[in-house]
């Protein structure tokens, strides 16, 4: 790695009881940190002791929820918090002991596997690329973890501002954006920073990599949208949108993208950069996620300050379903497809949402969408017009962290376990 890069990697194993030992905490102080992080060092010891006292016993108790013979792991929920704590929650199905069970009789359980203070500042973003987990914070560091070996891989110190956005492309490359206005491209093989570009005059709020891996978009405090050519590592164009974009996201096939701006979400066509649909509400949107449905097509799922989740049809711009179940603003959402029955090929979509009061909810997205069809049928039977979207209020599972959660990412456990050393291949399909 070039000497001018301040990135430093050290490996250490996460403890099995989910809490970092005092010796490990001392080692983390050897990583290079910014001046802002040093000013907060005096508060870290008190926070860490509080976490140890509150969570060590809880983790041991939760570890005995079910026997290994009745447990089937499905996916992992990883969430960051304002209190600098990183949560790793295993989601798994409990198989009923009686014979002849059906899928609907299974219960989803959430159990923490690691809870520890990962940074010296608020965790602003988390991302997963294959076996790697990355977290970015206001302490200007990117922390790296190996999910397969359950080890902390080290820290990357390159930006001169808070880390605001992290995006992986497959397992080979990662993009990072910061308050310093720069965008970096990292190679995961050796975690070398290949390119650093001053892409904006203000804070980079969000990054989105095209499904092809050839281009990326960024939005910034400078009220522009940046288009990046990832084949060359150069910024191709910048277009003003008149307002500060907070989040940008590609749809699943890459022919449209959405920009979140306060209480408005605008959907653009790639071909002509014209607005196709605009979603607006009184309260602020905070997060959004695209989902491709086999029958309904591209859907846009949003969460915001009104404590509800809306599912929009991007073809006609209608709100199809409203999901209500949080008591505070929704900070992040993510979606994962999996099969509850290991012998079945049917994929069940699950929506996970986190709120500022520390609650993690898991929703059956297919069941929520079916509630719309049932509601529409009832309205037709009564010869009435459906004037508003139906509300779905039953989560599959919930977990209270008692922290102010800020970000979320999901990881397929079975995918992680199947990864081997071939993930270091240079065949990246697009980036550089």
């Amino acid at each position: 790695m070039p000497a001018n890069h301040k990135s430093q990697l050290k490996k250490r194993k996460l403890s099995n009881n989910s809490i970092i030992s005092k010796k490990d905490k001392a080692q983390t102080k050897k990583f290079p940190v910014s001046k802002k992080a040093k000013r907060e060092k005096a508060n870290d010891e008190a926070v860490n002791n509080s976490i140890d006292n509150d969570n060590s016993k809880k983790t041991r108790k939760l570890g005995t929820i079910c026997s290994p013979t009745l447990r089937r792991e499905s996916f992992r929920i990883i969430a960051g918090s304002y209190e600098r704590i990183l949560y790793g929650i295993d989601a798994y199905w409990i198989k009923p002991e009686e014979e002849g069970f059906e899928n609907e009789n299974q219960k989803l359980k959430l159990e923490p596997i690691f809870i520890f203070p990962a940074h010296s500042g608020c965790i602003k973003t988390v991302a997963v690329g294959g076996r790697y987990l990355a977290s970015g914070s206001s302490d200007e560091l990117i922390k790296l973890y190996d999910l397969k070996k359950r080890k902390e891989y080290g820290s990357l110190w390159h930006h001169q501002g808070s880390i605001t956005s992290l995006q992986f492309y497959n397992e080979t490359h990662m993009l990072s954006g910061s308050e310093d206005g720069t965008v970096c491209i990292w190679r995961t093989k050796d975690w070398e920073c290949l390119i650093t570009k001053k892409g904006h005059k203000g804070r980079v709020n969000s990054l989105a990599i095209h499904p092809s891996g050839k281009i990326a978009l960024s939005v910034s405090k400078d009220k522009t949208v940046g288009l990046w050519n990832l084949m060359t590592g150069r910024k191709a164009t910048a277009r003003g949108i008149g307002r500060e974009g907070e989040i940008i996201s590609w749809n699943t096939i890459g022919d449209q993208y959405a920009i979140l701006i306060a209480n408005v979400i605008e959907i653009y066509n790639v071909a002509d950069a014209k607005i196709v649909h605009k979603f607006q509400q009184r309260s602020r949107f905070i997060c959004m996620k695209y989902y491709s449905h086999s029958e309904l097509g591209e859907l846009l799922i949003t969460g915001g300050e009104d404590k509800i989740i809306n599912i929009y049809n991007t073809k006609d711009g209608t709100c199809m379903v409203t999901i209500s179940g949080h008591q505070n603003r929704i900070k992040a959402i993510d979606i994962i497809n999996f099969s509850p029955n290991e012998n079945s090929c049917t994929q069940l979509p699950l929506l996970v949402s986190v709120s500022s009061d520390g609650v993690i909810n898991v929703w059956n997205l297919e069941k929520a969408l079916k509630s719309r069809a049932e509601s529409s049928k009832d309205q037709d039977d009564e010869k009435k017009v459906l004037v508003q979207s139906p509300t779905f209020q039953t989560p599959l599972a919930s977990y209270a962290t008692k922290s102010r959660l800020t970000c979320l990412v999901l990881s397929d456990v079975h995918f992680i376990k199947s990864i081997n050393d071939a993930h270091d291949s240079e065949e990246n399909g697009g980036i550089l």
Side-chain angles (χ1 to χ4, degrees):
M1 190 177 297
N4 60 337
H5 290 137
K6 299 179 181 179
S7 309
Q8 181 174 346
L9 296 176
K10 290 188 178 182
K11 297 182 179 180
R12 60 188 180 90
K13 186 175 179 60
L14 298 178
S15 57
N16 293 330
N17 64 353
S18 306
I19 307 298
I20 292 180
S21 65
K22 292 182 178 180
K23 180 179 179 181
D24 287 336
K25 291 173 186 175
Q27 289 178 353
T28 62
K29 295 178 181 179
K30 296 179 181 180
F31 293 156
V33 295
S34 64
K35 293 180 180 180
K36 183 187 295 185
K38 291 179 181 179
R39 288 196 300 268
E40 296 178 354
K41 185 172 68 176
N43 297 327
D44 288 343
E45 186 173 354
V47 173
N48 296 344
N49 291 337
S50 174
I51 295 167
D52 290 341
N53 294 334
D54 292 342
N55 293 308
S56 58
K57 293 183 180 179
K58 182 190 299 184
T59 305
R60 287 195 293 271
K61 290 179 181 178
L62 289 172
T64 59
I65 286 180
C66 64
S67 64
T69 57
L70 300 179
R71 169 174 172 163
R72 292 209 301 275
E73 279 188 330
S74 296
F75 62 95
R76 189 164 294 164
I77 303 169
I78 299 159
S81 72
Y82 186 84
E83 290 83 3
R84 313 188 286 273
I85 306 171
L86 190 66
Y87 290 88
I89 312 292
D90 261 1
Y92 58 90
W93 296 96
I94 299 295
K95 175 181 175 181
E97 296 185 32
E98 63 270 14
E99 296 181 359
F101 76 96
E102 300 293 338
N103 283 343
E104 56 266 23
N105 293 328
Q106 298 180 94
K107 295 182 179 180
L108 186 69
K109 294 291 184 180
L110 304 181
E111 176 182 325
I113 56 170
F114 59 81
I115 303 173
F116 66 97
H119 290 268
S120 60
C122 166
I123 301 176
K124 290 180 170 291
T125 178
V126 286
V128 167
R131 68 192 295 172
Y132 292 115
L133 163 66
S135 62
S137 166
S138 59
D139 62 8
E140 303 177 5
L141 290 177
I142 301 172
K143 289 289 187 74
L144 303 172
Y145 306 89
D146 189 319
L147 292 175
K148 183 181 178 183
K149 298 180 180 179
R150 291 187 63 179
K151 288 183 178 180
E152 180 174 334
Y153 200 71
S155 302
L156 301 174
W157 182 23
H158 189 80
H159 290 285
Q160 300 300 314
S162 298
I163 310 301
T164 56
S165 184
L166 295 171
Q167 290 285 320
F168 277 94
Y169 178 69
N170 292 336
E171 306 158 38
T172 59
H173 292 82
M174 181 184 75
L175 267 65
S176 62
S178 169
E179 283 190 349
D180 61 11
T182 63
V183 173
C184 294
I185 301 178
W186 303 85
R187 183 173 59 200
T188 62
K189 180 179 181 180
D190 51 10
W191 290 107
E192 180 180 354
C193 183
L194 302 176
I195 292 175
T196 302
K197 288 292 183 179
K198 181 72 174 179
H200 294 276
K201 297 179 180 179
R203 175 184 63 234
V204 177
N205 289 330
S206 178
L207 295 167
I209 302 176
H210 190 269
S212 67
K214 296 181 179 180
I215 59 174
L217 295 173
S218 60
V219 288
S220 167
K221 188 179 180 181
D222 64 9
K223 302 179 182 180
T224 65
V225 178
L227 173 63
W228 299 84
N229 184 339
L230 297 182
M231 303 294 289
T232 62
R234 296 180 179 179
K235 185 177 179 181
T237 61
R239 179 172 59 88
I241 55 176
R243 290 160 294 171
E244 180 180 352
E246 299 174 22
I247 300 176
I248 191 164
S249 178
W250 291 98
N251 67 351
T252 58
I253 59 177
D255 63 348
Q256 292 183 349
Y257 60 90
I259 301 178
L260 187 156
I261 308 169
N263 66 331
V264 177
I265 295 177
E266 298 174 342
I267 298 181
Y268 293 81
N269 266 336
V270 173
D272 53 14
K274 292 184 178 180
I275 297 177
V276 181
H277 291 294
K278 180 184 290 187
F279 307 128
Q280 189 168 1
Q281 61 182 24
R282 292 183 178 180
S283 58
R284 288 182 66 250
F285 290 108
I286 297 178
C287 53
M288 64 179 180
K289 190 77 175 181
Y290 270 105
Y291 171 66
S292 179
H293 191 273
S294 58
E295 298 177 0
L296 300 173
E298 293 283 343
L299 306 178
L300 185 66
I301 305 175
T302 69
E305 286 188 342
D306 56 5
K307 311 172 190 176
I308 63 174
I309 299 170
N310 290 319
I311 303 177
Y312 293 97
N313 189 325
T314 60
K315 290 183 179 179
D316 55 21
T318 59
C319 181
M320 303 175 61
V321 181
T322 294
I323 300 177
S324 175
H326 284 282
Q327 301 302 314
N328 212 315
R329 59 181 179 177
I330 299 170
K331 293 291 292 183
I333 55 176
D334 203 357
I335 303 168
I336 192 167
N337 291 308
F338 79 103
S339 176
N341 189 334
E342 55 191 12
N343 297 321
S344 173
C345 296
T346 303
Q347 293 290 308
L348 178 67
L350 289 187
L351 170 67
V352 181
S353 57
V354 300
S355 55
S356 293
D357 57 5
V359 174
I360 301 173
N361 281 335
V362 182
W363 311 87
N364 185 332
L365 188 54
E366 193 65 34
K367 193 172 182 180
L369 292 171
K370 285 182 179 179
S371 69
R372 174 183 180 273
E374 294 172 358
S375 177
S376 299
K377 182 179 179 181
D378 293 340
Q379 294 286 351
D380 292 339
D381 292 341
E382 298 175 8
K383 297 182 179 181
K384 295 180 181 179
V385 178
L386 186 62
V387 296
Q388 62 180 6
S389 57
T391 301
F392 185 75
Q393 298 177 320
T394 310
L396 280 174
S398 296
Y399 180 80
T401 63
K402 298 182 180 179
S403 296
R404 291 171 290 177
L405 299 179
T406 57
C407 50
L408 165 74
V409 70
L410 304 180
S411 175
D412 189 332
V413 173
H414 299 295
F415 176 72
I416 295 172
K417 291 182 177 179
S418 66
I419 296 175
N420 52 38
D421 293 337
H423 83 284
D424 288 331
S425 172
E426 288 290 340
E427 298 179 0
N428 52 63
I431 296 183
L432 301 178

